[in-house]
Amino acid sequence: MNSYDFQLTEEIARWRFEVLVHACPSWFVAFTNPTAGPWKRVMGRDRDGKEGEVFRFPRDSDRPDLILVCDELRTLAIIEAKDSMAKLMVDAQITKSAQVVNDLARTLSGLKHNAFWGARADYAVCPGLLWGGERASSRGEREALVLRFARELREKAHSAVCRDCLCIEVLKQSGTGVLDVGLFLHAHATGTNAIAGPALLSSLRPDTR
Amino acid sequence: MSEQTTKHLELWADSFHEGDWAVRHVASILAGQGVRASVSLLKGFIPEYVFRGSGTDVRVTVFGSYRSWSPLPQAIADVLEWGKPDLILYDPTSKRIIFSVEETAAVPTGNQALQRCERMYGALRVSVPFWYLITEFGKHVDGGVRRDSIWPTVMALKLTRARRTPCVVLHYSDADNPEDYGVGKGLDALFRCLAGVVANAAKGLSPLNGMEEPLAAQFTDMLNFVKAQWSELVDFMPGSDSLDAPDLPRLYARTAMNHPPNADQWPANFLIWPRFPELPKAVRANQKGRALIKKDALCALLENDITEKRAYGLSNKTGSRPQPGDSIAAWITQQKKMFSKGVVLEPRAEYTVAASDFPESKSGLFHVTTAKNIVYLYDRWSDVQEAIETAFPRLAGKLAGMDRSRPALVYVSNSLKPGRIFGDPFTGQIAAFATIFGRFDPEPRYVIAYFPHQAYTQAVVGDEDRSNKGLTLMRELTDLLLFGGGVAVSLQTNEVL
């Protein structure tokens, strides 16, 4: 291979995590937000595993960066991604991220009659934040981020949104450029506790299965 | 197998999703031909496919998000200056692009219809084969279903012939399944071509070897699409009677493979917009200048030239998209500010556009549209020159040096928002109209772009700003730009007149 270096962008960080999700048999990617292509719709699966459209975002509407589904744990993850933790901390961004989670939780809970969504309308929703970096974050930094996120989530909170926030850190190794994924769950004060945190983390670790 | 027997290709993409999606489709097609594919992830995220059949192994590495990588191969950087195609297949050994692909999920309508055409031009100008995958039927915001415009397809036909390189528009979906990639021939046709290139690489053949048949089929579909749709959009299509000529798709395919037939094998004047006297009688009779929506001295003269049969327009089916009054006021303020930063002009020029010039629409917004035509095809540059000098006397005597008898195209963009004319969809419109209406025809037309509401200073930039896609394109495809206040700019000579 030619020797190309890369800058860890939001697109690359998100893609790295998606690669991990694809290797986890109990999860599937229902929506991802690259700039173009046939990925602009939320897709579901019917009882036979056939894929179909569940929801289409209106033009110019705010949308998350990833929606993941785990039927085994009856859980959805709605994830906002940025190329750095600092960018997720910006006031306007964190407000938007929380708003998108609540709005989408509401929308998806109303799709019980969609053949490709059905019972997933009743799943718990795990909010998530994904970022890239070259230095591992500290627990304190993650907790500060989740605390701010939780404050915003509390506004107009939807009952399906759970109290655990999934934090995904994509780290670029210096020298090799290998991307590692760190997964963390941080609880905040409000929300349903319908999701068992350890089970969720375990289901997203393909190498431990 | 050793490194020496492996052919390496790189698939560069706007996103990893698109790149990986494309190679997986190729793998599925090649599997039907007995080629096995294996995939690994370099650095934990870079997909690398190895195709193993009876010939040399072919390794395809996917790189998503072009600008994230360095050093970006020069051939790719050159194409990106004209806009980002979604996929580029690159041979790192020869350092050449094998082909590029643009794909879009929605039907662009109205003035958005040509928004990707500058990418088509950017690839073909350096003889890179280009496939444009677009939905034929799309959902509009009003809930209805729209069909794709003919212009990207006509442009692709003209570029194929001019550059002797494949430029193909492939459609997917149907009226009952709009925007559905799984319906129609387009998606499969695209990936069969890509699979063919990979198979050729394995056999050490040139990339487009054996592509004449599939290309002929693709050109058949393109010509049929134009035949079915042109009368919905324009009053006249030169060579429309030949669109279903049995040999025509093969002529295009051979030309695309750089084996062009003799000139006399082509239908006469096919897709060449003629001078006024050669128009069909009924079309000539219908050519009448129309009243403007918003007043403009030059557009009034252009419309009058249609009545006087010195020029013609394409259709009576264009509309107006009014804008909010506060936006118009803010944009005028910004334009004036930019204009005032320009050089001292002799004779003096003034930016006189005022909010009160824009008539109110029924909905309480304000029309920015001047003429309903945005393209005027003139038989002679001298008539355009006369109209310009009459509308803007300060330019009298400054436009000499161009061939007075050469035909010309005048393109009008009424956009008022600063900077818009250098981005989507206007760059695509200029690329498409310049190509379609004659810049590369045997008797080429001058291309004049008129921006009545824009300040000329946006086109006069220092060396550090020359990477602007719109300016790059206009520098190559226009002969003269005209701005508000009657200031002309030649980008080739960087002269302000």
Side-chain angles (χ1 to χ4, degrees):
Chain A
M1 184 179 94
N2 276 352
S3 177
Y4 301 116
D5 192 14
F6 67 95
Q7 187 188 347
L8 182 50
T9 58
E10 176 187 322
E11 150 75 11
I12 290 179
R14 188 185 58 225
W15 169 253
R16 173 63 186 93
F17 179 55
E18 283 182 64
V19 164
L20 180 150
V21 173
H22 289 310
C24 300
S26 59
W27 287 86
F28 72 86
V29 178
F31 173 78
T32 176
N33 193 23
T35 52
W39 299 279
K40 290 189 170 176
R41 299 172 267 186
V42 179
M43 302 293 280
R45 291 175 184 173
D46 67 12
R47 286 163 192 270
D48 302 323
K50 188 183 161 204
E51 278 203 343
E53 180 174 332
V54 171
F55 175 68
R56 197 176 284 218
F57 289 99
R59 252 175 232 201
D60 304 324
S61 68
D62 285 334
R63 55 194 74 184
D65 291 301
L66 275 174
I67 302 175
L68 310 179
V69 178
C70 179
D71 290 324
E72 209 171 274
L73 299 175
R74 297 178 57 79
T75 298
L76 310 178
I78 300 178
I79 296 165
E80 183 72 27
K82 286 284 168 215
D83 58 3
S84 72
M85 195 182 208
K87 286 188 183 164
L88 286 168
M89 282 285 249
V90 173
D91 283 343
Q93 179 58 51
I94 212 152
T95 304
K96 182 217 142 192
S97 305
Q99 177 91 28
V100 166
V101 170
N102 281 325
D103 289 351
L104 200 55
R106 199 163 286 116
T107 301
L108 296 176
S109 70
L111 297 175
K112 202 168 213 159
H113 299 296
N114 183 297
F116 300 100
W117 200 244
R120 297 184 186 105
D122 296 326
Y123 285 7
V125 173
C126 180
L129 298 170
L130 183 158
W131 64 89
E134 300 193 8
R135 176 190 69 80
S137 60
S138 68
R139 183 179 182 88
E141 286 171 320
R142 292 194 300 273
E143 283 178 348
L145 175 63
V146 170
L147 190 66
R148 290 192 62 184
F149 189 37
R151 254 188 238 134
E152 296 292 336
L153 278 171
R154 218 175 291 150
E155 300 291 322
K156 301 177 191 168
H158 187 267
S159 59
V161 177
C162 74
R163 59 190 302 169
D164 288 315
C165 177
L166 177 63
C167 294
I168 303 136
E169 183 170 69
V170 178
L171 278 182
K172 183 181 179 184
Q173 283 182 12
S174 64
T176 65
V178 169
L179 294 184
D180 295 322
V181 181
L183 297 170
F184 310 93
L185 268 183
H186 288 274
H188 49 86
T190 55
T192 165
N193 57 1
I195 299 175
L200 188 139
L201 282 184
S202 165
S203 70
L204 281 168
R205 288 206 171 104
D207 55 338
T208 62
R209 294 178 66 83
Chain B
M1 199 165 277
S2 71
E3 184 69 18
Q4 285 78 6
T5 58
T6 300
K7 173 71 183 171
H8 187 200
L9 300 174
E10 295 171 356
L11 188 71
W12 290 77
D14 207 8
S15 73
F16 273 101
H17 300 81
E18 285 175 297
D20 194 57
W21 171 72
V23 188
R24 276 189 284 113
H25 274 280
V26 169
S28 145
I29 289 166
L30 290 177
Q33 298 166 19
V35 176
R36 286 172 291 123
S38 58
V39 60
S40 56
L41 292 162
L42 307 178
K43 299 181 192 290
F45 73 103
I46 303 168
E48 183 164 271
Y49 290 76
V50 176
F51 294 96
R52 191 157 291 169
S54 54
T56 304
D57 289 358
V58 181
R59 188 157 46 98
V60 181
T61 312
V62 178
F63 294 97
S65 195
Y66 298 108
R67 297 287 186 196
S68 305
W69 298 89
S70 67
L72 190 63
Q74 191 57 46
I76 294 177
D78 290 346
V79 164
L80 296 190
E81 269 189 35
W82 296 77
K84 274 188 303 187
D86 291 311
L87 303 168
I88 293 177
L89 186 66
Y90 175 72
D91 180 342
T93 309
S94 66
K95 301 189 188 308
R96 295 184 64 169
I97 294 174
I98 297 176
F99 78 43
S100 65
V101 175
E102 179 66 28
E103 62 96 7
T104 182
V107 157
T109 56
N111 73 353
Q112 305 293 322
L114 308 178
Q115 64 180 332
R116 310 288 174 85
C117 288
E118 77 281 1
R119 299 179 190 185
M120 200 184 282
Y121 180 77
L124 267 290
R125 68 185 286 278
V126 286
S127 300
V128 168
F130 188 95
W131 272 261
Y132 185 14
L133 178 70
I134 184 168
T135 181
E136 182 169 348
F137 296 87
K139 290 177 186 166
H140 195 257
V141 280
D142 65 10
V145 171
R146 295 285 191 281
R147 205 164 173 189
D148 185 29
S149 162
I150 59 166
W151 294 129
T153 303
V154 175
M155 180 184 182
L157 291 167
K158 294 205 72 159
L159 281 174
T160 297
R161 197 170 162 187
R163 303 297 310 173
R164 298 181 182 182
T165 300
C167 187
V168 178
V169 175
L170 295 171
H171 283 114
Y172 62 88
S173 81
D174 64 19
D176 296 325
N177 302 279
E179 298 175 16
D180 188 338
Y181 279 76
V183 175
K185 297 183 204 170
L187 191 76
D188 187 59
L190 172 66
F191 291 124
R192 281 194 183 281
C193 285
L194 192 45
V197 169
V198 172
N200 283 337
K203 293 171 195 158
L205 299 169
S206 70
L208 297 180
N209 184 70
M211 296 274 182
E212 188 175 318
E213 285 303 321
L215 280 170
Q218 291 166 19
F219 284 118
T220 300
D221 290 342
M222 290 166 67
L223 291 160
N224 285 340
F225 173 69
V226 176
K227 184 175 174 61
Q229 279 295 101
W230 70 264
S231 61
E232 298 291 321
L233 200 67
V234 287
D235 303 327
F236 163 65
M237 172 69 59
S240 56
D241 291 345
S242 302
L243 282 164
D244 54 2
D247 295 340
L248 196 52
R250 182 123 350 236
L251 295 184
Y252 273 106
R254 285 187 188 147
T255 304
M257 308 277 293
N258 202 14
H259 302 303
N262 294 330
D264 61 3
Q265 288 181 262
W266 289 94
N269 299 319
F270 186 67
L271 301 183
I272 293 176
W273 270 260
R275 294 186 191 235
F276 191 94
E278 293 142 35
L279 286 172
K281 193 174 171 187
V283 177
R284 269 183 284 150
N286 274 340
Q287 292 293 326
K288 289 183 181 66
R290 288 176 294 165
L292 307 183
I293 298 176
K294 172 194 167 285
K295 285 182 185 168
D296 182 88
L298 179 56
C299 288
L301 292 167
L302 301 179
E303 287 293 322
N304 185 59
D305 280 343
I306 290 182
T307 303
E308 297 298 327
K309 309 201 182 312
R310 288 188 279 261
Y312 62 97
L314 297 172
S315 113
N316 290 319
K317 292 166 186 164
T318 46
S320 168
R321 191 175 174 197
Q323 300 292 325
D326 52 353
S327 298
I328 285 180
W331 293 335
I332 290 173
T333 302
Q334 291 170 50
Q335 294 284 359
K336 278 189 173 159
K337 200 171 165 187
M338 288 189 291
F339 193 97
S340 70
K341 288 181 178 166
V343 294
V344 177
L345 295 166
E346 189 58 44
R348 195 165 173 271
E350 235 181 307
Y351 183 84
T352 54
V353 176
S356 56
D357 298 344
F358 297 84
E360 192 168 357
S361 71
K362 283 179 189 165
S363 61
L365 300 174
F366 294 86
H367 292 288
V368 295
T369 301
T370 51
K372 281 193 161 188
N373 270 313
I374 59 169
V375 171
Y376 297 83
L377 299 180
Y378 272 79
D379 286 356
R380 284 173 297 276
W381 156 249
S382 58
D383 290 329
V384 184
Q385 183 182 356
E386 190 177 322
I388 293 171
E389 291 180 355
T390 305
F392 304 117
R394 64 171 302 280
L395 289 174
K398 286 176 172 262
L399 305 176
M402 290 163 75
D403 179 349
R404 290 173 58 80
S405 64
R406 188 164 152 183
L409 145 70
V410 180
Y411 162 81
V412 181
S413 167
N414 298 299
S415 175
L416 175 59
K417 190 175 178 181
R420 271 304 300 281
I421 55 173
F422 300 115
D424 292 335
F426 302 105
T427 50
Q429 283 184 355
I430 290 179
F433 291 148
T435 304
I436 293 166
F437 300 120
R439 185 157 185 86
F440 307 109
D441 283 355
E443 190 183 25
R445 285 182 192 270
Y446 285 128
V447 176
I448 317 299
Y450 177 41
F451 307 107
H453 305 136
Q454 298 280 339
Y456 75 97
T457 45
Q458 297 168 90
V460 184
V461 296
D463 288 343
E464 72 280 7
D465 295 324
R466 286 183 169 263
S467 58
N468 175 316
K469 170 178 87 174
L471 282 173
T472 303
L473 184 134
M474 288 186 206
R475 193 174 300 121
E476 182 154 318
L477 288 179
T478 66
D479 296 282
L480 194 70
L481 306 179
L482 269 174
F483 290 90
V487 182
V489 175
S490 163
L491 288 175
Q492 280 107 0
T493 60
N494 222 18
E495 267 185 302
V496 180
L497 305 172

